[in-house]
Amino acid sequence: MLLPLLAAGAIGAPIRLNPVELFLHADVVVEAVMGGLLLASVWVWMIIIGFVVKMGMITRACRKYEEAFWTARDIDAFQKEQGKRDIPTARVVAAALAEWRRSTAGKTIDRDGTRQRLATAMDGAVTEETDRLAARLNFLATVGTVAPFVGLFGTVWGVMDSFFRIGALQNSSLAVVAPGISEALFATAIGLAAAIPAVVAYNRFSHRVNGFESGLFRFADRFHATLSRELEQ
């Protein structure tokens, strides 16, 4: 009777990996690990999509603003009209103009001090804008670093549970060990699935933020030179 039952079980056994079945039949600890990694993976992809959309909109808006800014005859009038928009370049200009008004409000003007304060104000505005853009990238770096180890923890726990079953059933056959090990290894797979896009996206987005920061600094340097010429007149 034993051989027919084993044959029937072999016929009814799944011949392909089913992620849902692996998740549902896993140990509670392994399920918690996989659930946390799945949530982290979903959040990673939300950040990736949101950053791509946001960065594209900001880049186009800054490009249009800068093109119009350098052709404007009256910077104050242009800033009153366009400065209220949610554009990083506009906020850099606002910080520079605010410092310009404070530094040139007196009867005597310290030209060197004004130049230094203008540079400090614009550099601070550029840093603030790039920090705002890169705020969520830290989560990508965290997931990329931690997720594989969290998945490995689930794998180790699942393997330990499989060995416990071997001792409890006093049977070391693959039919007893294989399901638990498969569930355990699935935790590592989910950890890698969360970590790989997070690492790739973090490296790519950090490069884009650095390039955007360099563009803002170039704009700030050019505007600083324009204001410095105004001080000489």
Side-chain angles (χ1 to χ4, degrees), residues 26 50 65 81 86 97 162 167 169 181-182 186 189 198 209 228:
Y65 177 90
E81 180 181 354
D86 187 17
L97 292 179
S162 296
L169 299 176
I181 294 179
S182 298
F186 187 51
V209 170
S228 295

Side-chain angles (χ1 to χ4, degrees), residues 72-155:
R73 295 183 178 180
D74 189 342
I75 294 178
D76 289 327
F78 176 82
Q79 186 65 12
K80 287 181 181 179
E81 180 181 354
Q82 301 289 335
K84 296 180 181 180
R85 299 173 60 189
D86 187 17
I87 301 175
T89 311
R91 286 190 283 268
V92 173
V93 173
L97 292 179
E99 181 58 41
W100 171 269
R101 294 187 184 97
R102 287 192 296 267
S103 297
T104 59
K107 295 181 179 180
T108 58
I109 300 176
D110 182 5
R111 291 180 173 83
D112 292 334
T114 299
R115 291 189 180 93
Q116 293 178 1
R117 287 189 292 271
L118 286 171
T120 301
M122 285 190 286
D123 290 348
V126 170
T127 302
E128 184 178 355
E129 294 301 322
T130 53
D131 287 344
R132 186 181 292 112
L133 282 176
R136 291 187 177 183
L137 298 186
N138 290 331
F139 182 79
L140 298 180
T142 301
V143 172
T145 304
V146 175
F149 295 99
V150 176
L152 183 60
F153 168 76
T155 297

Side-chain angles (χ1 to χ4, degrees), residues 160-174:
M160 290 169 56
D161 183 66
S162 296
F163 282 113
F164 178 79
R165 292 179 187 177
I166 292 175
L169 299 176
Q170 296 183 354
N171 186 351
S172 60
S173 65
L174 288 177

